[in-house]
Amino acid sequence: MTSLDKPTSDTDRTTRTDQQDAEAKTVTEAALFEAFGGVRGMVETVLPGLLFVTIFTINKDLHSSAIAALVVSLVLVAVRLIRKDTVKHAFSGVFGVAFGVVFAMMTGNAKDFYLPGMLYTLGLALAYLVTTLAGMPLIGLILGPVFKENLSWRTRNPGRKKAYAKASYAWGLILLAKCAILFPLYWWADTTQLGWVLVALKIPPFLLAVYLTWVFLAKAPPPIDVFAEMEAEEQAEKDRKAAEAAAAAAARDQQF
């Protein structure tokens, strides 16, 4: 019996399965970092708010704190532009800081610097929950293009849709829990207390949500690469037309 004739052992199958699982987890981890900005994106999210609350804690001056936060956000965008990196995370940070600055300047209340971001977090939490209940979990809409599956998970990959639903519920509930802490502080705490708690809650809930997303997707069926399917279909169509052209040319040759 040759090596090709030997049946595959349980050990070999287990080894291949473990390798496939490890590759799936690695791909999922890389995709999540790409989608959510990685370590650099987290720094860009935290730094403006941290600078605002630090300066305000020292001098209690709304204008200097707000301007410093806005300037550092613009610097982060400029650095990304110079390095020709993706700027979507930095731009989102600039818009968030800009809304906070404008709102706080209009009301004269330093705590209002944080209010637009808090309202955005609440709206995002509700969006995760509502879209999941509607059968189109938001995390799937976000990550589908990253995994090159687009919306194929909705109808062709039920196991993956279930994983996206679990992840979206996790994001929604975690963000709601964060809002349950922050909104009472907005009414009862002073600006410094609210600011430091908000900064402290920037990264841990985010990391928890990303980790749970990774766990759910790592155990889910692999994504269907719709781009590869489209390329294969285009190539098959080209091959078909080439074969038809060759057959037509052969038929003409036989006539002569």
Side-chain angles (χ1 to χ4, degrees):
M1 180 182 291
T2 66
S3 59
L4 294 177
D5 296 328
K6 293 180 180 178
T8 303
S9 67
D10 292 339
T11 302
D12 292 337
R13 284 195 294 267
T14 302
T15 300
R16 283 201 297 269
T17 301
D18 291 341
Q19 290 175 345
Q20 291 171 352
D21 289 343
E23 290 175 359
K25 290 178 180 178
T26 301
V27 171
T28 301
E29 181 180 356
L32 288 175
F33 265 88
E34 177 185 344
F36 296 114
V39 175
R40 188 173 178 182
M42 288 187 286
V43 171
E44 292 171 343
T45 300
V46 171
L47 192 56
L50 177 61
L51 188 60
F52 178 90
V53 70
T54 300
I55 295 175
F56 190 84
T57 300
I58 295 171
N59 62 17
K60 304 299 181 183
D61 182 67
L62 169 60
H63 290 78
S64 61
S65 303
I67 292 172
L70 185 58
V71 167
V72 75
S73 297
L74 292 172
V75 169
L76 293 172
V77 171
V79 171
R80 280 190 175 268
L81 289 173
I82 293 171
R83 294 169 59 91
K84 297 182 180 180
D85 295 332
T86 178
V87 295
K88 60 180 180 179
H89 299 291
F91 267 130
S92 64
V94 168
F95 288 128
V97 172
F99 276 118
V101 169
V102 170
F103 204 66
M105 293 291 189
M106 289 175 59
T107 64
N109 185 352
K111 283 197 292 186
D112 287 339
F113 173 79
Y114 303 110
L115 188 56
M118 293 166 57
L119 293 173
Y120 172 78
T121 300
L122 177 59
L124 188 60
L126 295 176
Y128 276 117
L129 298 177
V130 170
T131 56
T132 305
L133 291 172
M136 189 178 291
L138 181 58
I139 199 70
L141 301 179
I142 295 172
L143 295 180
V146 177
F147 286 109
K148 300 180 180 180
E149 60 182 335
N150 286 347
L151 297 178
S152 63
W153 49 268
R154 288 198 64 212
T155 56
R156 300 173 57 192
N157 205 338
R160 197 157 181 86
K161 180 180 180 180
K162 185 177 180 180
Y164 280 139
K166 290 180 179 179
S168 290
Y169 278 129
W171 277 90
L173 294 175
I174 289 170
L175 293 179
L176 277 183
K178 181 178 176 180
C179 291
I181 296 172
L182 293 177
F183 276 96
L185 288 176
Y186 174 80
W187 296 109
W188 300 331
D190 60 31
T191 301
T192 300
Q193 292 170 334
L194 173 62
W196 285 113
V197 171
L198 195 146
V199 169
L201 289 178
K202 278 284 186 181
I203 301 302
F206 171 80
L207 290 180
L208 176 60
V210 170
Y211 172 73
L212 291 175
T213 302
W214 176 78
V215 169
F216 294 140
L217 292 182
K219 296 179 180 180
I224 299 172
D225 191 337
V226 295
F227 295 104
E229 288 183 344
M230 291 171 61
E231 292 175 356
E233 290 175 0
E234 290 177 358
Q235 185 60 46
E237 181 65 17
K238 289 179 181 179
D239 292 343
R240 184 185 65 80
K241 290 181 178 180
E244 290 177 352
R252 287 196 300 269
D253 291 341
Q254 290 177 356
Q255 291 177 355
F256 293 104

